[in-house]
Short mmCIF file of all heavy atoms in Angstrom, two decimals:
data_model
loop_
_atom_site.label_atom_id
_atom_site.label_comp_id
_atom_site.label_asym_id
_atom_site.label_seq_id
_atom_site.Cartn_x
_atom_site.Cartn_y
_atom_site.Cartn_z
N ARG A 4 16.98 48.49 58.86
CA ARG A 4 16.15 47.37 59.08
C ARG A 4 15.18 47.24 57.96
O ARG A 4 14.77 48.14 57.22
CB ARG A 4 15.41 47.55 60.37
CG ARG A 4 14.39 48.60 60.39
CD ARG A 4 13.86 48.89 61.81
NE ARG A 4 13.19 47.70 62.40
CZ ARG A 4 12.87 47.55 63.66
NH1 ARG A 4 13.33 48.45 64.58
NH2 ARG A 4 12.31 46.42 64.06
N ASP A 5 14.74 45.94 57.77
CA ASP A 5 13.78 45.58 56.81
C ASP A 5 12.66 44.83 57.53
O ASP A 5 12.83 43.65 57.90
CB ASP A 5 14.25 44.81 55.70
CG ASP A 5 13.21 44.45 54.55
OD1 ASP A 5 12.08 44.48 54.83
OD2 ASP A 5 13.76 44.24 53.38
N ASN A 6 11.59 45.50 57.98
CA ASN A 6 10.56 44.88 58.77
C ASN A 6 9.86 43.69 58.05
O ASN A 6 9.38 42.72 58.67
CB ASN A 6 9.56 45.88 59.28
CG ASN A 6 10.11 46.68 60.42
OD1 ASN A 6 11.17 46.42 60.99
ND2 ASN A 6 9.40 47.74 60.79
N ALA A 7 9.71 43.88 56.72
CA ALA A 7 9.08 42.75 55.97
C ALA A 7 9.86 41.44 56.06
O ALA A 7 9.41 40.40 56.04
CB ALA A 7 8.92 43.17 54.54
N LYS A 8 11.20 41.64 56.18
CA LYS A 8 12.08 40.44 56.19
C LYS A 8 12.50 40.18 57.71
O LYS A 8 13.20 39.13 57.88
CB LYS A 8 13.41 40.69 55.39
CG LYS A 8 13.16 40.80 53.95
CD LYS A 8 14.49 41.01 53.22
CE LYS A 8 14.17 41.07 51.72
NZ LYS A 8 15.48 41.27 50.96
N LYS A 9 11.99 40.92 58.62
CA LYS A 9 12.31 40.74 60.02
C LYS A 9 13.91 40.71 60.21
O LYS A 9 14.38 39.82 60.98
CB LYS A 9 11.69 39.52 60.60
CG LYS A 9 10.20 39.59 60.55
CD LYS A 9 9.53 38.33 61.18
CE LYS A 9 8.01 38.47 61.14
NZ LYS A 9 7.38 37.23 61.73
N THR A 10 14.54 41.59 59.61
CA THR A 10 15.99 41.51 59.61
C THR A 10 16.55 42.97 59.85
O THR A 10 15.97 43.99 59.27
CB THR A 10 16.57 41.05 58.27
OG1 THR A 10 16.07 39.63 58.10
CG2 THR A 10 18.09 40.97 58.33
N MET A 11 17.58 43.12 60.62
CA MET A 11 18.33 44.36 60.86
C MET A 11 19.70 44.18 60.35
O MET A 11 20.23 43.02 60.38
CB MET A 11 18.33 44.68 62.44
CG MET A 11 19.15 45.95 62.71
SD MET A 11 19.19 46.25 64.54
CE MET A 11 20.12 44.81 65.15
N TYR A 12 20.30 45.32 59.84
CA TYR A 12 21.61 45.31 59.30
C TYR A 12 22.55 46.31 59.92
O TYR A 12 22.09 47.32 60.49
CB TYR A 12 21.52 45.56 57.84
CG TYR A 12 20.56 44.71 57.05
CD1 TYR A 12 19.24 45.09 56.86
CD2 TYR A 12 20.93 43.42 56.55
CE1 TYR A 12 18.37 44.25 56.17
CE2 TYR A 12 20.14 42.56 55.89
CZ TYR A 12 18.80 43.06 55.70
OH TYR A 12 17.95 42.25 54.97
N LEU A 13 23.81 46.07 59.81
CA LEU A 13 24.84 47.02 60.12
C LEU A 13 25.84 47.05 59.13
O LEU A 13 26.66 46.05 58.94
CB LEU A 13 25.46 46.68 61.54
CG LEU A 13 26.53 47.73 62.02
CD1 LEU A 13 25.78 49.00 62.33
CD2 LEU A 13 27.25 47.17 63.21
N GLU A 14 25.91 48.10 58.30
CA GLU A 14 26.88 48.27 57.22
C GLU A 14 28.08 48.95 57.80
O GLU A 14 28.00 50.07 58.43
CB GLU A 14 26.34 49.08 56.08
CG GLU A 14 27.25 49.19 54.93
CD GLU A 14 27.24 47.91 54.07
OE1 GLU A 14 26.20 47.26 54.02
OE2 GLU A 14 28.36 47.56 53.61
N MET A 15 29.27 48.31 57.74
CA MET A 15 30.39 48.81 58.46
C MET A 15 31.52 49.16 57.33
O MET A 15 31.83 48.24 56.51
CB MET A 15 31.00 47.78 59.36
CG MET A 15 30.00 47.40 60.46
SD MET A 15 30.81 46.37 61.76
CE MET A 15 31.09 44.81 60.79
N ASN A 16 31.92 50.35 57.30
CA ASN A 16 32.92 50.77 56.27
C ASN A 16 34.15 51.38 57.04
O ASN A 16 34.06 51.73 58.18
CB ASN A 16 32.29 51.88 55.38
CG ASN A 16 31.22 51.31 54.50
OD1 ASN A 16 31.30 50.35 53.88
ND2 ASN A 16 30.02 52.02 54.61
N SER A 17 35.26 51.51 56.36
CA SER A 17 36.50 52.03 56.89
C SER A 17 36.85 51.43 58.26
O SER A 17 37.16 52.12 59.20
CB SER A 17 36.35 53.58 57.05
OG SER A 17 36.10 54.28 55.82
N LEU A 18 36.76 50.14 58.25
CA LEU A 18 36.96 49.38 59.49
C LEU A 18 38.40 49.53 59.95
O LEU A 18 39.34 49.56 59.22
CB LEU A 18 36.61 47.90 59.33
CG LEU A 18 35.11 47.61 59.34
CD1 LEU A 18 34.82 46.27 58.81
CD2 LEU A 18 34.54 47.78 60.71
N GLN A 19 38.62 49.64 61.29
CA GLN A 19 39.89 49.79 61.99
C GLN A 19 40.00 48.66 62.98
O GLN A 19 39.05 48.06 63.45
CB GLN A 19 39.95 51.16 62.55
CG GLN A 19 39.93 52.26 61.61
CD GLN A 19 41.02 52.22 60.51
OE1 GLN A 19 42.22 51.99 60.91
NE2 GLN A 19 40.59 52.48 59.27
N PRO A 20 41.25 48.39 63.36
CA PRO A 20 41.49 47.31 64.44
C PRO A 20 40.61 47.49 65.68
O PRO A 20 40.20 46.53 66.32
CB PRO A 20 43.03 47.42 64.67
CG PRO A 20 43.62 47.90 63.35
CD PRO A 20 42.53 48.89 62.82
N GLU A 21 40.37 48.76 66.11
CA GLU A 21 39.62 49.00 67.31
C GLU A 21 38.10 48.59 67.16
O GLU A 21 37.42 48.57 68.14
CB GLU A 21 39.68 50.42 67.76
CG GLU A 21 39.13 51.43 66.69
CD GLU A 21 40.32 52.04 65.90
OE1 GLU A 21 41.34 51.34 65.65
OE2 GLU A 21 40.21 53.19 65.55
N ASP A 22 37.65 48.19 65.95
CA ASP A 22 36.40 47.77 65.70
C ASP A 22 36.31 46.24 65.93
O ASP A 22 35.15 45.68 65.92
CB ASP A 22 35.88 48.06 64.29
CG ASP A 22 35.80 49.60 63.98
OD1 ASP A 22 35.20 50.18 64.85
OD2 ASP A 22 36.24 50.02 62.89
N THR A 23 37.41 45.66 66.18
CA THR A 23 37.38 44.20 66.41
C THR A 23 36.54 43.88 67.72
O THR A 23 36.89 44.43 68.79
CB THR A 23 38.79 43.67 66.59
OG1 THR A 23 39.50 43.78 65.37
CG2 THR A 23 38.80 42.24 67.01
N ALA A 24 35.58 43.02 67.67
CA ALA A 24 34.71 42.68 68.78
C ALA A 24 33.69 41.62 68.29
O ALA A 24 33.60 41.34 67.15
CB ALA A 24 33.94 43.97 69.10
N VAL A 25 33.02 41.07 69.29
CA VAL A 25 31.85 40.33 69.02
C VAL A 25 30.68 41.31 68.93
O VAL A 25 30.48 42.06 69.89
CB VAL A 25 31.62 39.23 70.13
CG1 VAL A 25 30.34 38.48 69.90
CG2 VAL A 25 32.77 38.30 70.16
N TYR A 26 29.96 41.24 67.85
CA TYR A 26 28.80 42.16 67.60
C TYR A 26 27.50 41.47 67.97
O TYR A 26 27.23 40.38 67.40
CB TYR A 26 28.80 42.66 66.24
CG TYR A 26 29.82 43.71 65.99
CD1 TYR A 26 31.19 43.49 65.98
CD2 TYR A 26 29.50 45.10 65.85
CE1 TYR A 26 32.13 44.41 65.77
CE2 TYR A 26 30.43 46.01 65.69
CZ TYR A 26 31.76 45.71 65.61
OH TYR A 26 32.71 46.68 65.42
N TYR A 27 26.65 42.03 68.78
CA TYR A 27 25.34 41.52 69.19
C TYR A 27 24.26 42.36 68.65
O TYR A 27 24.32 43.66 68.80
CB TYR A 27 25.29 41.50 70.75
CG TYR A 27 26.27 40.56 71.42
CD1 TYR A 27 27.51 41.05 71.74
CD2 TYR A 27 26.06 39.29 71.69
CE1 TYR A 27 28.55 40.31 72.40
CE2 TYR A 27 26.97 38.45 72.27
CZ TYR A 27 28.16 38.93 72.66
OH TYR A 27 29.11 38.09 73.27
N CYS A 28 23.19 41.70 68.29
CA CYS A 28 21.97 42.52 68.08
C CYS A 28 21.02 42.41 69.15
O CYS A 28 21.05 41.37 70.01
CB CYS A 28 21.22 42.15 66.79
SG CYS A 28 20.53 40.50 66.78
N ALA A 29 20.14 43.40 69.43
CA ALA A 29 19.24 43.33 70.63
C ALA A 29 17.99 44.12 70.23
O ALA A 29 17.89 44.96 69.37
CB ALA A 29 19.93 44.10 71.73
N ALA A 30 16.89 43.73 71.00
CA ALA A 30 15.59 44.29 70.70
C ALA A 30 14.98 44.88 71.97
O ALA A 30 15.08 44.24 73.09
CB ALA A 30 14.62 43.18 70.10
N ALA A 31 14.37 46.10 71.87
CA ALA A 31 13.65 46.77 73.00
C ALA A 31 12.20 46.93 72.57
O ALA A 31 11.96 47.50 71.51
CB ALA A 31 14.34 47.98 73.30
N ALA A 32 11.31 46.57 73.52
CA ALA A 32 9.89 46.71 73.24
C ALA A 32 9.44 48.14 73.10
O ALA A 32 8.59 48.50 72.32
CB ALA A 32 9.10 46.04 74.30
N ARG A 33 10.06 49.10 73.86
CA ARG A 33 9.76 50.53 73.85
C ARG A 33 11.07 51.28 73.99
O ARG A 33 11.94 50.80 74.71
CB ARG A 33 8.74 50.91 74.92
CG ARG A 33 7.37 50.44 74.66
CD ARG A 33 6.45 50.89 75.73
NE ARG A 33 6.77 50.35 77.04
CZ ARG A 33 6.09 50.59 78.15
NH1 ARG A 33 5.06 51.36 78.14
NH2 ARG A 33 6.50 50.09 79.37
N GLY A 34 11.14 52.40 73.37
CA GLY A 34 12.30 53.22 73.46
C GLY A 34 13.53 52.55 73.01
O GLY A 34 13.66 52.24 71.78
N GLY A 35 14.52 52.39 73.86
CA GLY A 35 15.71 51.90 73.49
C GLY A 35 16.87 52.89 73.44
O GLY A 35 16.82 53.84 72.63
N THR A 36 17.82 52.77 74.38
CA THR A 36 18.85 53.72 74.58
C THR A 36 20.17 53.05 74.38
O THR A 36 20.27 51.93 73.78
CB THR A 36 18.91 54.41 75.92
OG1 THR A 36 19.21 53.41 76.92
CG2 THR A 36 17.47 54.93 76.26
N TRP A 37 21.28 53.69 74.80
CA TRP A 37 22.60 53.02 74.79
C TRP A 37 22.85 52.10 75.88
O TRP A 37 23.87 51.43 75.89
CB TRP A 37 23.67 54.16 74.81
CG TRP A 37 23.65 54.93 76.05
CD1 TRP A 37 24.39 54.68 77.17
CD2 TRP A 37 22.92 56.11 76.28
NE1 TRP A 37 24.11 55.57 78.14
CE2 TRP A 37 23.18 56.48 77.70
CE3 TRP A 37 22.01 56.80 75.65
CZ2 TRP A 37 22.61 57.61 78.28
CZ3 TRP A 37 21.37 57.95 76.20
CH2 TRP A 37 21.68 58.30 77.54
N LEU A 38 21.86 51.90 76.82
CA LEU A 38 22.03 51.04 77.98
C LEU A 38 21.50 49.63 77.62
O LEU A 38 20.44 49.48 77.22
CB LEU A 38 21.26 51.54 79.11
CG LEU A 38 21.68 52.98 79.65
CD1 LEU A 38 20.82 53.49 80.72
CD2 LEU A 38 23.19 52.90 80.09
N SER A 39 22.34 48.69 77.83
CA SER A 39 21.98 47.32 77.51
C SER A 39 20.76 46.81 78.33
O SER A 39 20.04 45.92 77.83
CB SER A 39 23.15 46.39 77.72
OG SER A 39 23.60 46.32 79.11
N ALA A 40 20.59 47.34 79.55
CA ALA A 40 19.40 46.92 80.34
C ALA A 40 18.04 47.27 79.74
O ALA A 40 17.13 46.73 80.14
CB ALA A 40 19.57 47.59 81.83
N GLN A 41 18.03 48.10 78.71
CA GLN A 41 16.75 48.52 78.12
C GLN A 41 16.35 47.47 77.08
O GLN A 41 15.19 47.53 76.59
CB GLN A 41 16.93 49.88 77.34
CG GLN A 41 17.37 51.02 78.35
CD GLN A 41 16.31 51.34 79.30
OE1 GLN A 41 15.09 51.27 79.07
NE2 GLN A 41 16.74 51.61 80.51
N TYR A 42 17.16 46.50 76.76
CA TYR A 42 16.87 45.59 75.74
C TYR A 42 16.35 44.21 76.33
O TYR A 42 16.97 43.63 77.17
CB TYR A 42 18.02 45.42 74.78
CG TYR A 42 18.23 46.75 74.08
CD1 TYR A 42 19.02 47.73 74.64
CD2 TYR A 42 17.68 46.97 72.89
CE1 TYR A 42 19.19 48.96 74.03
CE2 TYR A 42 17.94 48.19 72.13
CZ TYR A 42 18.62 49.22 72.78
OH TYR A 42 18.76 50.39 72.13
N THR A 43 15.32 43.65 75.67
CA THR A 43 14.66 42.53 76.13
C THR A 43 15.24 41.19 75.57
O THR A 43 15.49 40.24 76.21
CB THR A 43 13.22 42.49 75.76
OG1 THR A 43 12.60 43.68 76.24
CG2 THR A 43 12.48 41.31 76.36
N TYR A 44 15.62 41.24 74.27
CA TYR A 44 16.11 40.04 73.61
C TYR A 44 17.49 40.32 72.97
O TYR A 44 17.75 41.43 72.55
CB TYR A 44 15.13 39.60 72.45
CG TYR A 44 13.77 39.36 72.94
CD1 TYR A 44 12.68 40.06 72.33
CD2 TYR A 44 13.43 38.47 73.94
CE1 TYR A 44 11.39 39.80 72.71
CE2 TYR A 44 12.15 38.20 74.35
CZ TYR A 44 11.14 38.88 73.71
OH TYR A 44 9.82 38.64 74.11
N TRP A 45 18.33 39.26 73.02
CA TRP A 45 19.74 39.33 72.49
C TRP A 45 20.06 38.22 71.65
O TRP A 45 19.61 37.08 71.82
CB TRP A 45 20.74 39.35 73.71
CG TRP A 45 20.54 40.58 74.53
CD1 TRP A 45 19.71 40.88 75.52
CD2 TRP A 45 21.39 41.81 74.43
NE1 TRP A 45 19.88 42.12 76.06
CE2 TRP A 45 20.97 42.70 75.32
CE3 TRP A 45 22.51 42.11 73.58
CZ2 TRP A 45 21.50 43.99 75.56
CZ3 TRP A 45 23.05 43.38 73.73
CH2 TRP A 45 22.57 44.30 74.70
N GLY A 46 20.87 38.41 70.66
CA GLY A 46 21.42 37.36 69.78
C GLY A 46 22.66 36.82 70.44
O GLY A 46 23.14 37.23 71.50
N GLN A 47 23.23 35.77 69.72
CA GLN A 47 24.42 35.04 70.29
C GLN A 47 25.69 35.78 69.89
O GLN A 47 26.76 35.45 70.51
CB GLN A 47 24.35 33.68 69.72
CG GLN A 47 24.98 33.49 68.28
CD GLN A 47 24.04 34.03 67.23
OE1 GLN A 47 22.92 34.28 67.42
NE2 GLN A 47 24.67 34.38 66.09
#
């Protein structure tokens, strides 16, 4: 992430067919785990 630019990134290498998906970014005010319910805001 680059907080000055308010941007998060995901660098993906050695991609395989099982990586095919819609990828979403999400924000959590505190903490943040692997559970989607912990996240407040979502992208499209």
